[in-house]
Amino acid sequence: MERARVLLLDAAPGALLDRELERLLGHGLDVTLNVRRVADPRRTRAVWGDRIGLTDFDPFDAAALLAETVRDGVGYDAVKSRAGVPLRAEFLAVATGTAPARRLRVVGRAGAGTDHVDLAAAARHSVAVTHTPGSNADAVAEFALAQLLALIRHLTAHNRATHAGSWLAPAAPATELSELTLGIVGVGRIGLALATRASALGMRVQGLSRSACRAPVAPAASLGALLATSDVISLHVPLTPGTHGLIGRTELALMRPGSILLNTARGGVVDEQALAEALRDPAHPLAAAAVDTFEHEHDVFASPLCGLPNALLTPHVAGMTRAAMATAALRCADHIAALLAGRPEGVPVATA
């Protein structure tokens, strides 16, 4: 029986790559690795070249991705992505069409979000989209706290000044976490992990969720009420048509004077132009923001937030800890193998 073919669009980093490949091969899969974003492609070719297939293309280039999909007319049974390579309707149509001999059956995401996949098109073409919800919950929760501490203690400003030889005295005493109320939009795995940590540090925590909030989170009556009564707002919702632009000019204007916005969810949840305008306005109630996710990322990264001193910007790294990435990579490999083998029980599958 022929082995199912799997294309790794963007492999796990460092030593985790070896573990990921061993896991996939251990499931009896025929693996092709895209080495374009591998840190040491020479070493990878030397170690793995006789056990797996190798290719080299930019996965964020739609034309290059389509060319790889139909290369030699073979095709792939599954593709796996870590960094959120866009898999849109055209790709799914070609990958499940008559051009390749093998029909795409599974898309695997080593991470929680699946907004990079056209889920409606995947459903039309009977492609299962699996992901790893919760794999980075602790990592993102810790990162959100780090963002908040960096902002309220002005760490970046003090760091720059001290490196420049300036002894920068604070204009006013800093605020302690126990003085602040944290509002969480989306109390799922990550939101609850953040709430538990924030509560242990003395913060009052309230939240808004599709399901009932659990302790230590007090339920808010509405988004408006949460914004108006929180000193810090942290976003932890998926990007869907219903959450796109969830935080815009109207919502930002409702926030408490001197408040802070944290976004480790998805860039499209916040209107970045409205956020930039609010941060430029000294009379606006919003004092600062920390943003780890953007509307446009990777090679097309651009944001009106760039250059604003009260905006702490990072390149979508909240979930990138060794533990979180290992859990996501290995769990994703298991999910792909199970679905290809016709064993969907217990495997999370995203739907439109």
Side-chain angles (χ1 to χ4, degrees), residues 127-175:
V127 175
V129 180
T130 184
H131 57 143
T132 59
S135 58
N136 64 358
D138 290 342
V140 176
E142 290 177 4
F143 192 88
L145 278 176
Q147 289 177 315
L148 176 56
L149 285 165
L151 287 174
I152 65 173
R153 301 305 297 266
H154 307 290
L155 296 186
T156 55
H158 288 307
N159 178 63
R160 284 194 303 267
T162 308
H163 272 289
S166 173
W167 198 259
L168 181 64
T175 303

Side-chain angles (χ1 to χ4, degrees), residues 220-242:
S222 65
L223 177 59
L226 185 74
L227 295 171
T229 58
S230 299
D231 301 293
V232 182
I233 293 291
S234 192
L235 305 176
H236 300 285
V237 293
L239 180 60
T240 67

Side-chain angles (χ1 to χ4, degrees), residues 57-77:
F57 69 98
D58 180 1
F60 289 90
D61 182 330
L65 177 58
L66 286 175
E68 176 61 34
T69 303
V70 299
R71 181 165 60 91
D72 302 326
V74 181
Y76 295 95
D77 299 279

